[in-house]
Amino acid sequence: TIPPPVYIEKLLVDGKDIDIGRYTRGREVLKLEAGTQRVEFHYTAVSFINPGRIRFKIRLDGENDNEWKEVGGNRIFNHSGLSPGEHSFEVIGCNADGIWNREGAKLKFNIKPFLHQRPGAYILAGLVILFLVIFFYKRRVRKYKKNQEILRLLVEERTKDLEEAKESAVRANRAKSEFLSHMSHDIR
């Protein structure tokens, strides 16, 4: 016996039917919008001898687990929470005699990332953070220099006051000495 031909019949994206006619050969990539939450694949295989015993294996590349999963006679596969990027859904089937169609059917699709999920957004965020670090560093340095200038002026003012006080004390000391020397001279 020959293996049954396998087809992907329909794709529902967030509940909307998508025309996949030209994408089911696995050559072209179907583009899906950012924020795609749920995909539902409908597939089948054709066998006129005991069609109820057809079994399937599926694989969804681009996610954590790229292994084939046997799903028995189930002809619908749902998946939620796909990450942005390249994915491909593959399905193979076997007939009642256990002969697998290894070629199967394949659908490649790409979920666009949101703006904040793109590599450029990470670069932009890094540049903004770098700009903010530099900005706050320069602001801090300016504040430090301003405080340093205020402190320098304050030190100069206090030094001037101390020098004036010292001169005044020296003059007072001289005056006292002169007074005492005149007094001691007058007393003799």
Side-chain angles (χ1 to χ4, degrees):
T1 63
I2 59 172
V6 179
Y7 303 98
I8 299 173
E9 297 180 305
K10 182 165 60 167
L11 171 65
L12 297 176
V13 176
D14 293 331
K16 297 177 191 160
D17 196 357
I18 304 294
D19 179 20
I20 59 170
R22 68 180 198 194
Y23 302 104
T24 56
R25 289 166 192 77
R27 290 182 189 94
E28 289 189 56
V29 177
L30 175 65
K31 307 272 190 222
L32 299 179
E33 290 303 312
T36 296
Q37 294 295 312
R38 188 170 165 266
V39 290
E40 182 176 297
F41 299 93
H42 294 250
Y43 48 88
T44 192
V46 179
S47 176
F48 296 111
I49 302 170
N50 208 351
R53 292 196 48 210
I54 294 176
R55 294 189 331 255
F56 297 95
K57 286 184 182 179
I58 60 169
R59 175 167 63 184
L60 184 60
D61 284 344
E63 285 301 302
N64 297 336
D65 187 13
N66 293 336
E67 299 295 317
W68 286 101
K69 294 180 184 135
E70 189 153 347
V71 293
N74 191 6
R75 295 168 190 259
I76 297 174
F77 173 69
N78 291 303
H79 192 78
S80 300
L82 286 170
S83 58
E86 290 280 330
H87 302 277
S88 69
F89 174 75
E90 296 176 84
V91 58
I92 58 175
C94 82
N95 61 16
D97 296 328
I99 299 173
W100 287 94
N101 176 343
R102 295 287 174 198
E103 203 169 299
K106 184 175 189 174
L107 175 66
K108 292 181 182 178
F109 59 100
N110 184 341
I111 298 176
K112 296 176 189 174
F114 284 112
L115 182 63
H116 68 275
Q117 294 172 318
R118 296 180 181 165
Y122 293 115
I123 292 169
L124 181 63
L127 289 173
V128 166
I129 289 170
L130 180 64
F131 170 77
L132 288 173
V133 166
I134 291 170
F135 172 77
F136 285 112
Y137 173 77
K138 286 187 173 191
R139 184 174 161 199
R140 180 79 177 143
V141 167
R142 269 194 309 269
K143 189 174 180 182
Y144 172 75
K145 286 182 178 181
K146 182 180 175 184
N147 287 343
Q148 191 176 25
E149 182 63 20
I150 290 170
L151 186 59
R152 187 187 63 77
L153 293 173
L154 188 61
V155 166
E156 282 180 8
E157 183 182 324
R158 296 287 162 96
T159 303
K160 186 179 173 186
D161 289 346
L162 284 173
E163 286 174 355
E164 288 174 3
K166 180 182 171 192
E167 284 180 30
S168 177
V170 167
R171 279 193 306 268
N173 194 25
R174 237 185 266 136
K176 179 185 81 163
S177 294
E178 283 179 20
F179 174 74
L180 287 176
S181 87
H182 283 296
M183 286 305 273
S184 79
H185 181 61
D186 286 344
I187 292 178
R188 290 188 212 171

